[in-house]
Amino acid sequence: MKPILKRTFALAMGLLALTAPAAAPADKLTTALAQGERMYREGILPSGEPMQAVVSGDVPVAGTSFTCVSCHLRGGLGSWEGGIVTLATNGARLAQPRYWKFPNLSPEERKELKLQNPPARPAYTDEALAHVLRTGIDPGGRELHPIMPRYYLKDPDMALLIKYLRSLSAQLSPGVDATTIRFATVITDEVRPEDQQAMLVPMNNYVARHNQISNGFGNRMYLGVGGNEMSGSYRKLALSVWRLTGAPDTWTRQLEAYLAKEPVFALLGGISYGDWKPIHAFCESHQLPCLFPLTDLPVVSEVDWYTQYFSKGYYQEGQAAARYLHGLAESASSSRILQITQDGPEAKALATGFRETWNELGQGPTKEIRLAKGETLSPAVLRSLVQQEKPTVVLLWTGPGAFEAIESLAGQSDRPGAVFMSSRLLGAQVYALPEQARVFTWFTYPYRDPKDEPNASKYADSLLAGLTQRRPETRISTRTYSMIQILRQGLMDMDRNFYRDNFMDRLSMQRDQVLPDYLRLSFGPGQRYASKGCFIMQLSPGPEPRLIRKSEWVIH
């Protein structure tokens, strides 16, 4: 290149360098925090390679197998399992000394109470944090448990991880102040007034009862250091009702207006007869917890975080039917499945749950027929389909209008071996199935055996004072009672660490609960569907049939 061209090229490149947009500081910080978050949650370096570490002295492990989040949890407040206590590693705790006695007191409270006991370790500097991550030796000179990985991290990667830890649960989440935690519940406009009251009455009764606890804080037991630590985690509760109107595609805008006007820590319960998806998406995008909404149409996701459901709803019943049939090993491989679905989201969820699970189990394709909107399955149509498809099992995800068609199969030589229906979709009409059809008709039943339910549900009455119309068949009040019991435990476990991710972590760590409606509610890190089972039932013969259990609790 000639000198003059070189000078021109260099000038042009210089101008380009001057005019090219430089990354803004805020963008750099966002990128750095995202990279640090990935290291914490997935054990992946910015280069895309897994973090490298050793445990138990010299056992090499990949960071993807020993991620920080698996023990310190998403909120960073730590956990306990198998006798091993994992310490908090969130920003707020790292910035403070750690004490053996009364560890939850803030520095201001310790000063006010004139506590003189020395710390187990001082506050972490960045250098001390890098040292403990590499060597397992904290700034107090104590060595961490051998199971804590010692990470081989270069300085730039270490800086990213430390920057993320400094930001993790560093500030209390919105909706909390020194005296109150604010919650809201969502009600969509098609919900009948009696169903709204069935949810709101127990919630308001619980809030009123909880808010009276502070009346006892003048007692002597709360005046000592231990009492101060205990009462310091208490906050009164405030509950707002967010009512959504109009089309679902307008709900996000309405929810954003509510949240901007009145920031809340989380949504509690909530009720809609339709799809919960718009509210679920809002909670995900705003990192807002939603605890056990009353919906049979939840979002089924393995990665979303902020909404915890009682179950997968209708989808889970479809799953249970597939697993039950798969368990009948002698016939599963030769099954010819015919799914007939009513028009609507409930039947669609049932059919999807069955189809996806059936495929995951390695079974063959299913034949699916969808009825037109408002169409009732007639005996002639069902007989024709059976003769044409020759199914061994028919899944009828319809209402009771199909009972006459099912009855028409009785006594037919080409009758399928089994017909499955959803007891939840049928409601109280399930008992109206003609007796001739009962011997070959099975129902998915996602609740506790009816004969055992009264003993579990009677406790919900303690929160129903003032409810004028009780309709236990809706399970609204009993499910609300269960939500409240899990909330109550979650508030205690959260202590004074009022971070939304920590709240979800504490819910996930609760022991299995025996509460109304479901045989059990079990939890695990990251799990978002607490009831994981379903019974298969049949009706007994006679003029007053009962549901008879025909399976164990089928696990999805």
Side-chain angles (χ1 to χ4, degrees), residues 166-447:
R166 293 289 188 196
S167 72
L168 177 63
S169 299
Q171 303 292 330
L172 297 186
S173 295
V176 183
D177 59 28
T179 63
T180 307
I181 307 179
R182 301 184 186 285
F183 294 101
T185 190
V186 172
I187 299 176
T188 54
D189 60 357
E190 83 284 4
V191 177
R192 291 182 288 274
E194 59 269 29
D195 287 348
Q196 296 182 30
Q197 288 305 303
M199 181 187 73
L200 290 175
V201 166
M203 291 176 78
N204 287 327
N205 283 340
Y206 168 68
V207 169
R209 188 178 297 181
H210 174 93
N211 288 346
Q212 291 176 354
I213 292 176
S214 60
N215 295 340
F217 284 170
N219 294 340
R220 192 168 61 180
M221 68 172 287
Y222 290 107
L223 300 181
V225 178
N228 268 272
E229 186 181 46
M230 196 183 332
S231 61
S233 64
Y234 173 84
R235 298 290 187 278
K236 289 195 172 186
L237 306 182
L239 179 66
S240 299
V241 179
W242 292 358
R243 296 185 182 278
L244 302 181
T245 60
D249 62 3
T250 68
W251 291 357
T252 299
R253 190 169 66 249
Q254 296 177 51
L255 289 165
E256 287 175 342
Y258 275 123
L259 189 62
K261 182 180 179 182
E262 181 186 30
V264 295
F265 185 75
L267 300 182
L268 302 180
I271 186 168
S272 175
Y273 298 154
D275 197 331
W276 196 257
K277 186 176 181 179
I279 306 163
H280 176 107
F282 170 80
C283 290
E284 285 298 313
S285 64
H286 290 77
Q287 300 181 346
L288 180 65
C290 180
L291 184 59
F292 294 118
L294 303 179
T295 175
D296 293 327
L297 296 168
V299 172
V300 177
S301 168
E302 299 301 324
V303 296
D304 288 349
W305 172 261
Y306 286 99
T307 300
Q308 189 149 30
Y309 295 100
F310 281 110
S311 75
K312 293 182 180 177
Y314 285 108
Y315 182 94
Q316 189 163 309
E317 288 185 60
Q319 286 187 307
R323 292 198 177 279
Y324 178 75
L325 286 170
H326 178 73
L328 303 177
E330 71 279 5
S331 59
S333 60
S334 59
S335 293
R336 295 185 300 279
I337 306 294
L338 172 62
Q339 289 204 91
I340 302 175
T341 61
Q342 200 79 54
D343 181 69
E346 297 86 358
K348 181 180 178 182
L350 283 158
T352 303
F354 181 89
R355 182 194 324 114
E356 292 183 351
T357 306
W358 194 245
N359 290 338
E360 288 171 7
L361 294 170
Q363 300 295 338
T366 61
K367 177 73 175 182
E368 299 190 21
I369 304 290
R370 180 174 295 184
L371 301 178
K373 189 173 183 178
E375 180 183 359
T376 298
L377 183 66
S378 68
V381 170
L382 181 57
R383 290 281 306 127
S384 174
L385 287 170
V386 167
Q387 290 171 0
Q388 179 181 334
E389 303 296 336
K390 296 179 173 50
T392 57
V393 176
V394 174
L395 305 171
L396 266 180
W397 306 131
T398 69
F403 282 174
E404 183 181 355
I406 301 172
E407 186 180 25
S408 73
L409 298 177
Q412 299 292 326
S413 60
D414 59 351
R415 169 176 68 77
V419 172
F420 278 77
M421 301 189 82
S422 163
S423 66
R424 178 165 19 194
L425 195 58
L426 294 167
Q429 293 298 312
V430 67
Y431 297 101
L433 181 72
E435 183 154 1
Q436 281 188 304
R438 293 178 199 168
V439 70
F440 60 88
T441 303
W442 278 260
F443 300 99
T444 53
Y445 190 80
Y447 304 114

Side-chain angles (χ1 to χ4, degrees), residues 201-203 205-206 209 459-465 481 484-485:
V201 166
M203 291 176 78
N205 283 340
Y206 168 68
R209 188 178 297 181
Y459 300 105
D461 292 347
S462 63
L463 288 176
L464 298 187
Y481 171 82
I484 289 169
Q485 300 312 306

Side-chain angles (χ1 to χ4, degrees), residues 8 28-29 48 129 155 175 190 228 237 374 451-452 490 500 521 523 537:
T8 304
K28 287 184 177 178
L29 178 59
L129 198 47
D155 288 345
E190 83 284 4
N228 268 272
L237 306 182
K451 66 181 173 56
D452 301 326
R500 289 169 173 169
L521 299 175
F523 303 88
M537 298 276 198

Side-chain angles (χ1 to χ4, degrees), residues 31-40 43-51 153-161:
T31 300
L33 291 177
Q35 291 172 331
E37 179 183 274
R38 192 179 187 205
M39 293 171 69
Y40 181 84
I44 301 292
L45 296 166
S47 65
E49 297 295 318
M51 294 163 61
L153 291 175
K154 296 177 180 176
D155 288 345
D157 294 331
M158 181 65 79
L160 290 172
L161 182 57

